[in-house]
Amino acid sequence: MAENCTHNCATCSSNCKSKDLRVKLRDGSCVKKVIAVVSGKGGVGKSLVTSLLAANVAKMGKHTAVLDADITGPSIPTSFGVAEEKALGDKTGAIYPVETKSGIQLMSMNFLLEHETDPVLWRGPVIAGAVKQFWTDVVWKDVDFMFVDMPPGTGDVPLTVFQSLPVDGIIVVSSPQQLVRVIVEKAVKMANDMKVPIIGLIENMSYVKCPDCGKIMMIYGESNIDGIAKDYHLPVLARIPISEEISRAVDEGEIESLEADFLQPALDKIKDL
């Protein structure tokens, strides 16, 4: 603690180890483990990975939730087929999450908009505040694993999540292109700087499997994921193919029905938390 500490962390520039900026859950809520799904750039499939992990951890008999922290570009409701649903509240200020067919609890900005295509024209601090409220104001019921679908980059929202939520670990999502290596390394270094454990790496759009002959084709070139994993001593948890079946399941809101054997190493790692 700084010598002249005023106990007002909001106005303090000191790198004080005694600071604890984590915010409390609402009374009656329970979340046991929090896993953030991150990447340094958009378009690599964080929402897909988040949806697949939540759906398959639920199949393991665990109570699962998704906090959609991508306030300006939410896609979680569509993946689960609940894009038309609305989150309900009560006079106490409590907000109740939308539940999917299999009982996964979801909270997304789209559940609060009149129309799902309405844009959210907010600046960073307001967006970060909304993410905090998804944690503090929503009644999360007996959640074993909460997955946080993060927006791209290393700005306001990732900082808010890492500082305000009790994150037990992150999963970093990448794609095979060489350009993504630099972006992934930014996310890894941010997690290390924030002292957040990294569970491992998942590569999306890793390959295409020919439906006729079974040949594996690397249409984006050779993967860089093993090099990143070696440099940072991290496990590669999954390689997700480009698949018509996956695309159709997301578009039709049937992500919970999708078989995802390629995720098994990731699921085993999460189960061991």
Side-chain angles (χ1 to χ4, degrees), residues 142-201:
D142 193 25
V143 175
D144 294 313
F145 290 95
M146 171 182 283
F147 295 91
V148 182
D149 184 22
M150 301 277 267
T154 56
D156 286 329
V157 171
L159 275 171
T160 296
V161 170
F162 289 163
Q163 291 179 333
S164 303
L165 274 61
V167 179
D168 294 283
I170 70 167
I171 290 174
V172 181
V173 182
S174 74
S175 59
Q177 299 95 321
Q178 176 65 28
L179 172 65
V180 174
R181 179 186 176 96
V182 176
I183 306 300
V184 169
E185 288 188 7
K186 286 179 183 291
V188 170
K189 289 179 179 179
M190 180 183 186
N192 288 335
D193 288 346
M194 301 292 293
K195 303 295 188 288
V196 178
I198 302 173
I199 299 170
L201 309 175

Side-chain angles (χ1 to χ4, degrees), residues 64-135:
T64 310
V66 176
L67 189 159
D68 189 353
D70 195 351
I71 301 296
T72 61
S75 56
I76 291 295
T78 298
S79 299
F80 287 93
V82 291
E84 301 300 321
E85 299 291 332
K86 301 298 178 189
L88 301 177
D90 62 24
K91 294 179 180 179
T92 69
I95 303 171
Y96 296 90
V98 171
E99 291 197 10
T100 70
K101 296 175 185 176
S102 65
I104 298 172
Q105 300 171 54
L106 307 179
M107 188 60 214
S108 174
M109 192 66 204
N110 268 8
F111 297 145
L112 302 175
L113 300 176
E114 184 176 357
H115 306 289
E116 66 171 324
T117 56
D118 290 346
V120 177
L121 305 177
W122 295 346
R123 295 190 184 276
V126 181
I127 292 173
V131 172
K132 274 190 186 180
Q133 286 185 277
F134 283 179
W135 176 259

